[in-house]
Amino acid sequence: MRETPLSNCERIFLLKAIEEKKRLDGRQTYDYRNIKITFGTDYGCCTVSLGKTRVLAQVSCELVPPKDSRPTEGIMFFNLELSPMASPAFQPNRQSELLVTLNRQLERCLRNSKCIDTESLCVVSGEKVWQIRVDVHVLNHDGNLMDAASIAAISALCHFRRPDVAIQGRDITIFSPEERDPVPLSIYHMPICVSFAFFQQGTYLLVDPCEKEELVMDGLLVIAMNKHREICSVQSSGGIMLLKDQVLRCSKIASVKVSEISELINKALENDKRVRKEGGRFGFAESIPKERITALKSKEALVEVTGIQEMAEEIANKGEAPSEVVPSPIIVAAGTGHVGEGLQNTWGLEEEDEGEEWQGVTDENEEKKKKDKMIVISDSEEEEVVVLNPEALKSKGKRPKH
């Protein structure tokens, strides 16, 4: 991934602002950007907006054979993609270092924390289990992708419903949503990632860094925690050494942020459930606020209109009056038909005995070329060739003898 580097002036300005506890968007040190959670028409589709950072999560499921080591447990699979649509720095079909890091952190946050009861995903022990796949797509990158991806993934998992199944002997019947209501997943807790950016070797700390703040930071600390203040994972990157007091301080801040985000997720799930139960409209299209489109109006500039007629007459008088009689253009060129009013219709093409030459054009360059032209006289019976100048031929007036 090739990020656009910052200039020295931008880097110095950002670091100076961070020292004065000021941020580009006017936030305080521990403030998050505005978080917006919306759900799609299908179950398990969720979009999270963290400021200008936007992430889409989609959950799907299918029946697959279980792993040999765990025949009674379902399978959880996470996939995060960075497309050039999100940022020009992302290259398609390439495993960048950032992509690998985000995938590993997402798996540690959700799969290794055992937030989902995988044993409830078993249909037939050793034969069929549910495989839950979570695809996370970054729609727009403006910093702090890990927090947005974790919020979108856990919200989509809470919103997802798998089809109901029935077992009769060795036969497995999968019911459609019209036949039986889908079954939600069994989720124990909701782990959420909170990112902390460090500057000046850990002297300054920021929560939820934007893209430009990430370019000048010295290190990043990501803490995954649930609302019960249980730490699920801790990941540090950037090669910065942190003290124990700094980590404890970050964990206290993360506990407050996680409880606020968890309440926001629960509120969004309740609103979506209520709208679906009432039979109202739901989905991404309905979540867009119906607001009037306002255009940017500029003030009308006052134009001085007095004295316009006098000024126009003065400009017209200064100009030269056109001549009453406009002569017709006469084109005289070799090989050109003269057709026009008051002219004789003739063609200036003449033929000569030795070849076709154009007459009517008296150019000094053409006469000079004709004078310099040499006449070569050859005889088929003899090998000797005599080259004479045209002027010599005119003076003699007879054909030379060999």
Side-chain angles (χ1 to χ4, degrees):
M1 185 183 68
R2 299 178 180 178
E3 295 182 351
T4 304
L6 294 177
S7 63
N8 293 334
C9 295
E10 289 179 312
R11 185 179 297 273
I12 294 173
F13 175 79
L14 286 172
L15 294 176
K16 188 67 176 178
I18 292 171
E19 291 178 2
E20 298 178 0
K21 296 183 179 181
K22 297 179 181 178
R23 306 182 73 170
L24 296 178
D25 48 9
R27 289 181 291 156
Q28 298 297 324
T29 305
Y30 304 140
D31 289 348
Y32 256 87
R33 289 172 288 181
N34 294 331
I35 302 176
K36 183 180 179 181
I37 303 174
T38 55
F39 297 101
T41 305
D42 298 333
Y43 284 110
C45 186
C46 175
T47 300
V48 172
S49 299
L50 182 59
K52 293 183 180 180
T53 300
R54 296 194 63 191
V55 176
L56 170 66
Q58 176 66 58
V59 182
S60 58
C61 65
E62 62 176 343
L63 287 175
V64 297
K67 296 181 179 179
D68 297 336
S69 59
R70 297 178 179 178
T72 60
E73 294 184 4
I75 301 174
M76 294 290 299
F77 181 76
F78 296 91
N79 179 39
L80 191 144
E81 293 185 2
L82 302 177
S83 65
M85 177 181 62
S87 173
F90 299 150
Q91 299 180 5
N93 302 325
R94 185 174 182 180
Q95 292 286 338
S96 61
E97 183 179 355
L98 177 62
L99 179 60
V100 175
T101 303
L102 292 176
N103 272 307
R104 289 178 179 176
Q105 290 181 358
L106 193 63
E107 289 181 356
R108 290 175 184 174
C109 176
L110 298 177
R111 186 173 64 183
N112 298 348
S113 63
K114 303 293 183 180
C115 65
I116 297 179
D117 184 13
T118 54
E119 292 185 356
S120 63
L121 301 176
C122 179
V123 179
V124 178
S125 178
E127 293 185 6
K128 292 293 182 181
V129 296
W130 286 108
Q131 179 184 1
I132 306 299
R133 178 187 176 96
V134 182
D135 292 292
V136 180
H137 300 269
V138 180
L139 303 180
N140 189 36
H141 173 42
D142 191 31
N144 200 8
L145 292 177
M146 190 63 239
D147 292 13
S150 65
I151 296 173
I154 193 63
S155 301
L157 287 171
C158 294
H159 187 256
F160 179 68
R161 304 287 188 272
R162 65 171 179 83
D164 195 7
V165 296
I167 303 173
Q168 295 180 354
R170 308 291 296 183
D171 298 333
I172 300 175
T173 304
I174 302 177
F175 296 98
S176 62
E178 291 77 13
E179 295 174 346
R180 289 189 183 181
D181 293 336
V183 181
L185 300 179
S186 178
I187 298 178
Y188 295 136
H189 59 92
M190 294 188 299
I192 298 171
C193 293
V194 180
S195 299
F196 300 89
F198 291 91
F199 303 87
Q200 302 293 341
Q201 297 299 320
T203 306
Y204 303 99
L205 169 67
L206 291 181
V207 177
D208 183 24
C210 64
E211 184 181 10
K212 289 187 177 181
E213 292 172 346
E214 288 182 349
L215 294 176
V216 298
M217 68 181 181
D218 295 332
L220 185 68
L221 177 66
V222 180
I223 299 178
M225 184 183 294
N226 56 22
K227 64 179 181 180
H228 306 294
R229 296 186 178 181
E230 298 174 348
I231 296 178
C232 302
S233 67
V234 178
Q235 179 71 26
S236 177
S237 61
I240 185 174
M241 299 297 294
L242 299 176
L243 300 176
K244 180 180 67 174
D245 295 338
Q246 290 176 323
V247 178
L248 292 176
R249 180 185 176 188
C250 293
S251 63
K252 292 179 181 179
I253 298 172
S255 63
V256 178
K257 300 300 178 183
V258 166
S259 61
E260 295 176 356
I261 297 173
S262 298
E263 292 179 1
L264 180 63
I265 295 175
N266 292 329
K267 184 178 179 181
L269 291 171
E270 291 176 0
N271 292 337
D272 182 79
K273 182 178 180 180
R274 176 178 52 81
V275 172
R276 291 175 183 269
K277 186 176 181 181
E278 293 176 357
R281 295 182 178 181
F282 51 87
F284 293 145
E286 301 302 327
S287 64
I288 301 176
K290 305 297 188 298
E291 297 178 352
R292 293 181 59 186
I293 300 176
T294 57
L296 180 61
K297 296 182 179 179
S298 59
K299 295 182 179 179
E300 296 181 357
L302 298 177
V303 181
E304 184 67 26
V305 295
T306 59
I308 296 297
Q309 185 67 24
E310 293 78 1
M311 188 182 300
E313 293 178 356
E314 182 180 356
I315 295 174
N317 295 331
K318 288 182 179 180
E320 297 180 358
S323 58
E324 298 179 357
V325 179
V326 179
S328 302
I330 301 175
I331 302 175
V332 180
T336 303
H338 305 290
V339 180
E341 184 178 357
L343 297 177
Q344 185 179 2
N345 300 338
T346 59
W347 290 95
L349 180 61
E350 297 181 2
E351 297 181 357
E352 294 182 0
D353 298 335
E354 295 181 358
E356 296 181 0
E357 295 182 0
W358 302 104
Q359 300 293 335
V361 179
T362 59
D363 193 5
E364 296 180 358
N365 295 332
E366 294 294 336
E367 293 180 357
K368 187 176 180 181
K369 291 180 181 179
K370 290 181 181 180
K371 291 181 180 180
D372 296 340
K373 186 177 179 181
M374 307 300 293
I375 299 177
V376 180
I377 301 175
S378 62
D379 195 351
S380 60
E381 297 179 357
E382 297 181 9
E383 296 180 358
E384 186 179 358
V385 178
V386 179
V387 180
L388 298 178
N389 195 301
E391 299 295 336
L393 291 176
K394 293 180 180 180
S395 61
K396 293 184 180 181
K398 58 181 180 178
R399 185 178 179 88
K401 297 182 179 180
H402 297 282

